[in-house]
Amino acid sequence: MIAFLALAAAAAMQPEFCGQTPYGTGAGQTKPFICSRAQEDGGPSLNWPSKKATFKINTKGTEDIPSESDLDAGVSANLEFTTVRQGFSTWTALSCTDFQFTDGGLTASERVGFDFRRLDENENIVIFQNSWAHDPLVIGLTTATFNSQTGEIFDADIELNDEQYDFTNKNTNVQTDLLNTVVHEVGHFLGFDHTDKPGSTLPVACASTATMSKTSTLGETQKRELATTDQLGMCFVYPTGKPIQHCNPPSTTPAPPPIIRQIGSSLEDGCAQTSPATVWPLALLAVVHMLRRRRL
Amino acid sequence: MRLALVAVVVFLSSTASAVALDTKSPLATFEAISQRAKVAAHVRVLYQTHRLVAEGKEAGRIVTDSHCEVLEAAFGASQGDTLVITTLGGYYGNIGQKVFGLERLVPNEELAVFLDAPGYMDGGLRVTGMNLGLYRVVDAPSLETRERPIIGHGSSVFPARDDPTPLTLGDFLARAKLARSGR
């Protein structure tokens, strides 16, 4: 009940027209949310193949948020983990979707991306990176690995920049609000793109106030709750009691086989030369698909 | 770039109070990025290759190496040099990997870029400030090269916040060179 009221309140924060035509969901109309595409020039939209996904949280956590100790019970709770879980459940609390996240608990894995050589070791992780390999201006990054022909996501990982930013989880003295950040990144995890990305046709008033807006300022908490735009996206792609809907369906025409070559410890793709390694990605995709089916 | 980014990017240049709240955070002004970068240049993307990082801590990442020709540089490179810009995400056969919010480079397009030292993901140079260090040069045949406007990913707030007039390629090179000299 609390989640529902919170979501209703968030929906009221956006102008009413954010959920109306011409930003409706009918055929030929511009949708009021932005789905990611699988290819450089478009292609199918990204989505999970079924309405369920498991995530795990790396055990390191962050020291920014102190643990809460219950001396009577003799236990200590890492509150950042609670906040991360809340970030996932924010998207599934909507009655219009029956997507389910499974909390897989904690993991020691730090693997971001998808290791094709160790298929069983891949997990969808959330990790606080205290040694940030990317640009310091970025608070969080989500990396999704998918079938570029169908748009089916088979792995997604969230990295949080614990080196440059002080994460907080309170309503006072808010710095980089953890829930604000995680709810946004979980939107990417589900396949949604920025509402205000270049080329977006959403009105600025809708795009800039959405959880999936690309920028954040210090102290911001607006993204903790889904705006109308975000809710409509979730309800459209992962609707309760109905099959998953594609913003852009996969093509029925198969693409030509890729060309791959291996150089040193890296496998390289895209150069015009043939190699026995050409079949690797297709074979791996088949294995990945089988593994996923077995788990479901 | 993947918020990508997605990525969530803080434009700390937005308010003074935001800076005061988090002293660890860097400033994202044009001048700050100019001073941090190793290279500022006008480049054309010649071609791209994709790599799957197969070993080490980053194993499992797909990255794109964009091989670029330097058309003019403010600092850190010379005309005619070839640079490799490494960005997260790309394709390995039919497998795609996307880092939300990160801008993709496109073969044949011209860019004005700030770049960090090489070695990013065992590859080439990293774009400084992620998307903030990346500007697309608008194709305007009627204009002289240096008069062509450039569009940044965060153009609504950066560099427009510093200067509301459109930034041209000539402005970019001159301002970057000036900021660098004032380090």
Side-chain angles (χ1 to χ4, degrees):
Chain A
M1 179 60 80
I2 292 173
F4 173 77
L5 289 174
L7 291 170
M13 290 167 62
Q14 282 200 320
E16 194 175 339
F17 63 80
C18 291
Q20 296 179 345
T21 55
Y23 300 97
T25 54
Q29 293 180 328
T30 304
K31 296 178 178 64
F33 47 87
I34 308 292
C35 297
S36 293
R37 307 289 289 273
Q39 296 166 14
E40 302 275 3
D41 56 353
S45 49
L46 299 187
N47 54 258
W48 288 87
S50 67
K51 287 186 273 185
K52 55 180 72 171
T54 299
F55 70 91
K56 295 186 177 184
I57 307 173
N58 180 271
T59 51
K60 285 191 304 185
T62 175
E63 294 179 359
D64 291 349
I65 297 173
S67 300
E68 189 171 72
S69 298
D70 184 336
L71 295 177
D72 292 338
V75 297
S76 174
N78 288 76
L79 296 179
E80 70 269 34
F81 298 157
T82 305
T83 303
V84 168
R85 291 175 181 123
Q86 191 181 346
F88 279 89
S89 61
T90 296
W91 285 90
T92 54
L94 301 168
S95 60
C96 64
T97 183
D98 51 3
F99 193 99
Q100 293 180 320
F101 281 119
T102 300
D103 178 1
L106 302 181
T107 178
S109 173
E110 298 183 3
R111 177 87 59 223
V112 174
F114 193 84
D115 191 340
F116 300 93
R117 298 183 176 186
R118 302 168 188 85
L119 294 176
D120 275 337
E121 294 181 15
N122 289 293
E123 297 170 328
N124 305 313
I125 68 165
V126 179
I127 181 167
F128 291 86
Q129 299 277 26
N130 54 21
S131 178
W132 186 248
H134 318 294
D135 193 275
L137 290 173
V138 179
I139 304 170
L141 280 180
T142 300
T143 300
T145 309
F146 52 88
N147 181 327
S148 64
Q149 301 304 304
T150 64
E152 288 187 352
I153 299 170
F154 51 84
D155 189 274
D157 303 297
I158 295 173
E159 296 173 271
L160 301 167
N161 183 350
D162 196 28
E163 182 175 353
Q164 269 82 25
Y165 296 94
D166 287 328
F167 288 106
T168 57
N169 66 340
K170 306 287 187 190
N171 292 323
T172 56
N173 193 24
V174 178
Q175 299 198 32
T176 302
D177 186 69
L178 179 58
L179 185 57
N180 193 71
T181 307
V182 172
V183 175
H184 175 93
E185 297 302 331
V186 173
H188 290 319
F189 188 107
L190 288 161
F192 297 110
D193 214 329
H194 292 140
T195 47
D196 46 1
K197 67 180 290 188
S200 169
T201 57
L202 287 181
V204 173
C206 306
S208 64
T209 54
T211 286
M212 296 315 295
S213 168
K214 67 188 177 189
T215 59
S216 175
T217 53
L218 286 178
E220 182 194 272
T221 57
Q222 180 177 271
K223 293 182 178 65
R224 286 178 177 182
E225 297 165 355
L226 302 179
T228 305
T229 299
D230 310 302
Q231 294 182 32
L232 289 172
M234 191 64 183
C235 301
F236 176 84
V237 179
Y238 303 106
T240 298
K242 297 178 184 173
I244 290 169
Q245 293 200 70
H246 299 274
C247 295
N248 306 92
S251 168
T252 53
T253 307
I259 298 167
I260 301 295
R261 63 180 174 146
Q262 182 162 358
I263 298 177
S265 63
S266 292
L267 302 170
E268 189 162 323
D269 176 18
C271 294
Q273 69 183 66
T274 55
S275 152
T278 300
V279 296
W280 266 56
L282 292 173
L284 285 168
L285 263 183
V287 174
V288 168
H289 190 71
M290 281 193 306
L291 282 171
R292 290 196 57 80
R293 292 285 176 201
R294 204 171 60 191
R295 285 181 194 151
L296 294 176
Chain B
M1 207 170 268
R2 273 129 94 258
L3 307 340
L5 117 109
V6 198
V8 183
V9 178
V10 169
F11 298 101
L12 288 177
S13 55
S14 57
T15 64
S17 60
V19 176
L21 282 172
D22 186 351
T23 53
K24 285 199 297 184
S25 300
L27 287 169
T29 63
F30 186 96
E31 279 63 33
I33 288 185
S34 299
Q35 292 177 8
R36 228 180 69 202
K38 304 295 185 213
V39 176
H42 170 209
V43 304
R44 177 188 289 118
V45 180
L46 300 175
Y47 66 96
Q48 294 177 311
T49 53
H50 301 287
R51 284 185 292 124
L52 170 66
V53 180
E55 298 294 341
K57 185 172 182 290
E58 305 298 340
R61 286 191 189 273
I62 297 174
V63 299
T64 300
D65 291 325
S66 298
H67 300 255
C68 304
E69 174 191 11
V70 177
L71 302 175
E72 186 172 2
F75 58 81
S78 301
Q79 184 179 7
D81 286 355
T82 300
L83 301 176
V84 178
I85 302 174
T86 298
T87 48
L88 298 175
Y91 295 90
Y92 172 48
N94 286 343
I95 299 167
Q97 199 171 82
K98 180 183 179 76
V99 176
F100 289 87
L102 292 190
E103 285 282 279
R104 290 257 173 85
L105 311 187
V106 180
N108 296 320
E109 75 172 340
E110 291 184 34
L111 307 164
V113 284
F114 290 112
L115 301 169
D116 286 345
Y120 186 48
M121 297 293 149
D122 297 327
L125 299 136
R126 183 179 72 180
V127 177
T128 309
M130 291 292 206
N131 293 332
L132 296 183
L134 179 69
Y135 298 81
R136 298 188 190 282
V137 181
V138 174
D139 187 14
S142 63
L143 297 176
E144 295 290 326
T145 300
R146 283 174 150 260
E147 297 304 315
R148 290 158 66 190
I150 61 173
I151 299 173
H153 184 79
S155 59
S156 61
V157 292
F158 176 88
R161 189 174 299 281
D162 304 324
D163 180 358
T165 58
L167 198 65
T168 66
L169 186 54
D171 295 333
F172 171 88
L173 294 166
R175 284 181 62 180
K177 191 177 289 185
L178 182 64
R180 184 71 168 187
S181 66
R183 256 197 332 181

